[in-house]
Amino acid sequence: MQRPLGAQISHMLKDRGVDVIFGIPGVHNQEMYRGIEEAGITHVLARHEQGAGFMADGYARATGKPGVAYVITGPGLCNIMTPMGQAYSDSVPMLVISSCLDEVADRKGQLHQMKDQRAAAETVCDWSEEAQSADAAYALVARAFAEFQAQSPLPKHIQVPIAQLVAEADPAPAAAPAMRQPAVHQDAVAAAAQHIKNAQRPLFVFGGGAVSAGGQGGPARAVLERSKAASFTSYAGRGIVAPDDPLHFGASLARPGSADVFAQADLAIFVGTDLAEVDLWRAEPGHACPAIYVNLDPQVLARARAADEVHQADARVWLTALAATLETETAKTAWRAEDIASTRARWRGETDAERPGIVPICDALRDVVPVDTMIYSDMTQFAYVAKEVWDMDRPGHWHHPYGFGTLGYATPAAIGGAVARRGLPTMAIIGDYGFHYTMQELGVAVELGLSLPIILWDNGKLKEIEDSMVRAQIAPNAVVAQNPDFCKLAEAFGARSAAPKSLEALQNAVTEAFAAQGPTLIYIAPDLAGY
């Protein structure tokens, strides 16, 4: 039956598996809200559109499904552009649907008016399009979901003029058959397998794009067992490799010494990783040997050199085919487990020396968080250390604003993850300054009754920036801000709070927070571990 287009869009999203929408209603997009409850979709009311975007991001990372957000014209869209940029840099599937003015050229001074809203959004996402009819809206939604399935998942933006949202429209067409990703060519996989067998020091690097291939029983671990190759993961790829794998270097690509490891390899295999600046913090990994690249993104594959091989393929499918091709009994390796263990110990010591006091707190937390805990962290020194020393036993369970690097991500993203994983443990780690950016979203966690521990690391300043200024011989300035009493602030929202004074007290507070009905802010400072 006919309904206003705004309502029909919600029904179309429901038919494509959307069960939660994050957003804020306004007079310009209220027609989009007409059909949400009727379609059977849950709406989570954020306190700011930036929070809505991060919640959608966190939901998408937890489920693998697109996170969907509804926002209004103008400032609503501008506010969510930071999360869109974060999702774009980290390849997170997000669909932002906004209203827009019917025209902006003839009249100035309209409510929420921008010169070119569509173009502004396009700077931080895969594409941004305007639907000037119901058919166009349906086609764009269908296109977005098809691309989420078949390509590297990236955020999209669709804007619909207010007059179109109000107008009666026929229902959206049924979903088309699922898109298929590029096929794996068995002869190419067999050639790669032969190269791996011939290598004395094959070295794998697994990135976030290989998460579906990791974990216990996954093809990534089978390939490593059969090839006797050494491995790294990117920060986003932690948990793909077993933490006790004796030939695993960990998530230490950014350690300067990792370049020396790459120099020893006679074959490098990069699976599902962009080798971005925030992975390496240098231009190249450091290998002089041939390489094999496996990725869905042609832009990544285009970096290969003439002697390299490229495979445009899904990491899980490719690794499954490779595991079936490798022969266990013929695998040999020149990598020595004792050398790798010594290297990892040295790197752990370097990490602890660079930012003292954090490693023992990470160890204490890791020992008490429940199995299957999903963690969302922020741009804070605590997370920078944890990403290197906190081994994960399963992939896709630690999420961080890697590329765009925005402050304020962790709290709302963890809320989105907790909404997606009701009944399963979720935790946030955020710094004192980043907490200021999105602290208002704590009210959402209280409203929804989410059992969410929020670890707040308060070093009283923008410590990473201060350290950088000192290294650059700049007198530190503008790095200290007046903080509130964070525990009282959390309680004012209706949340629980704790300020443990020892590692044992921290462990108890975390255990209690996971069992609580509602969020708990756990305040910790650098002196907790005695530094």
Side-chain angles (χ1 to χ4, degrees):
M1 72 181 181
Q2 283 200 329
R3 300 182 181 91
L5 176 58
Q8 297 286 29
I9 290 172
S10 292
H11 282 271
M12 182 180 187
L13 293 173
K14 179 66 175 180
D15 289 343
R16 280 150 181 79
V18 175
D19 52 13
V20 179
I21 291 173
F22 304 91
I24 301 176
V27 293
H28 278 189
N29 72 344
Q30 64 187 16
E31 284 296 334
M32 293 158 55
Y33 282 75
R34 185 185 294 275
I36 289 180
E37 290 187 6
E38 184 182 63
I41 296 175
T42 298
H43 182 271
V44 175
L45 176 63
R47 302 307 190 253
H48 188 282
E49 287 90 356
Q50 187 176 85
F54 287 143
M55 290 175 199
D57 175 299
Y59 177 92
R61 298 196 201 206
T63 62
K65 297 165 54 178
V68 179
Y70 280 178
V71 296
I72 61 163
T73 319
L77 182 66
C78 286
N79 287 338
I80 205 172
M81 283 174 61
T82 295
M84 291 167 67
Q86 188 62 65
Y88 183 76
S89 67
D90 290 348
S91 298
V92 177
M94 180 193 298
L95 178 59
V96 175
I97 303 180
S98 74
S99 53
C100 68
L101 295 174
D102 299 316
E103 65 80 27
V104 295
D106 182 53
R107 296 173 56 204
K108 291 186 177 180
Q110 299 179 72
L111 179 65
H112 301 330
Q113 187 169 10
M114 292 177 66
K115 291 175 65 177
D116 195 337
Q117 175 178 294
R118 185 211 60 78
E122 194 168 47
T123 63
V124 289
C125 65
D126 188 24
W127 50 256
S128 172
E129 299 289 353
E130 181 172 329
Q132 297 183 1
S133 67
D135 287 344
Y138 300 152
L140 288 169
V141 171
R143 173 188 169 189
F145 277 80
E147 292 178 4
F148 289 144
Q149 292 174 345
Q151 301 176 7
S152 295
L154 295 169
K156 332 284 185 184
H157 167 244
I158 300 170
Q159 63 182 34
V160 186
I162 298 168
Q164 288 295 330
L165 290 171
V166 176
E168 293 290 308
D170 291 327
M179 297 277 289
R180 294 186 178 182
Q181 294 173 340
V184 168
H185 299 286
Q186 192 57 46
D187 56 344
V189 174
Q194 191 60 52
H195 292 317
I196 293 170
K197 292 176 186 178
N198 293 341
Q200 295 298 305
R201 289 179 178 269
L203 179 62
F204 277 84
V205 178
F206 298 103
V211 161
S212 65
Q216 188 173 6
R221 295 189 184 183
V223 163
L224 291 176
E225 180 181 355
R226 296 173 190 179
S227 66
K228 299 299 185 287
S231 63
F232 282 93
T233 67
S234 69
Y235 298 134
R238 281 184 301 153
I240 292 175
V241 182
D244 59 353
D245 185 328
L247 299 182
H248 183 44
F249 284 97
S252 300
L253 290 170
R255 287 282 119 199
S258 70
D260 298 329
V261 174
F262 277 95
Q264 300 174 42
D266 56 2
L267 178 66
I269 308 98
F270 302 104
V271 185
T273 174
D274 293 351
L275 295 176
E277 179 187 61
V278 293
D279 293 325
L280 297 171
W281 294 111
R282 58 182 183 271
E284 298 290 341
H287 63 293
C289 60
I292 298 172
Y293 291 84
V294 183
N295 209 294
L296 283 171
D297 189 348
Q299 186 175 355
V300 174
L301 299 178
R303 300 176 190 164
R305 299 167 297 187
D308 297 336
E309 292 183 14
V310 297
H311 300 253
Q312 187 181 21
D314 173 76
R316 181 178 181 83
V317 175
W318 190 86
L319 288 167
T320 299
L322 180 64
T325 306
L326 292 170
E327 298 174 9
T328 307
E329 61 272 18
T330 63
K332 297 179 182 178
T333 184
W335 296 108
R336 289 163 44 90
E338 54 268 35
D339 293 339
I340 293 174
S342 175
T343 298
R344 292 199 64 174
R346 183 175 73 253
W347 289 345
R348 178 183 168 93
E350 290 174 2
T351 304
D352 191 26
E354 289 166 0
R355 301 179 179 99
I358 298 176
V359 168
I361 302 175
C362 290
D363 292 342
L365 281 172
R366 187 183 59 238
D367 288 343
V368 296
V369 296
V371 173
D372 199 31
T373 296
M374 188 165 284
I375 299 171
Y376 293 82
S377 60
D378 212 81
M379 299 297 289
T380 172
Q381 287 192 326
F382 192 98
Y384 306 154
V385 171
K387 288 186 300 177
E388 290 200 55
V389 304
W390 189 318
D391 289 326
M392 303 294 290
D393 66 348
R394 63 200 66 202
H397 277 62
W398 190 300
H399 306 293
H400 184 82
Y402 298 104
F404 212 38
T406 177
L407 286 159
Y409 170 83
T411 301
I415 291 170
V419 168
R421 290 166 40 90
R422 284 281 192 172
L424 295 174
T426 304
M427 184 171 77
I429 296 173
I430 195 165
D432 58 307
Y433 203 83
F435 187 72
H436 281 270
Y437 278 53
T438 53
M439 67 171 70
Q440 69 277 0
E441 306 304 340
L442 187 59
V444 180
V446 172
E447 188 172 273
L448 299 178
L450 301 176
S451 299
L452 178 66
I454 301 172
I455 310 298
L456 193 151
W457 170 254
D458 184 6
N459 53 19
K461 60 182 69 175
L462 290 164
K463 186 67 168 63
E464 189 72 8
I465 310 307
E466 181 184 68
D467 292 348
S468 180
M469 286 180 167
V470 170
R471 288 193 297 269
Q473 298 184 351
I474 300 170
N477 60 77
V479 294
V480 178
Q482 176 66 42
N483 279 332
D485 184 321
F486 287 110
C487 290
K488 289 182 179 179
L489 179 67
E491 292 166 5
F493 275 104
R496 299 171 70 254
S497 73
K501 302 300 183 184
S502 68
L503 294 179
E504 182 180 3
L506 169 64
Q507 292 176 320
N508 292 334
V510 169
T511 299
E512 293 173 3
F514 277 114
Q517 297 299 311
T520 304
L521 186 139
I522 301 174
Y523 176 89
I524 59 175
D527 61 359
L528 184 65
Y531 284 79

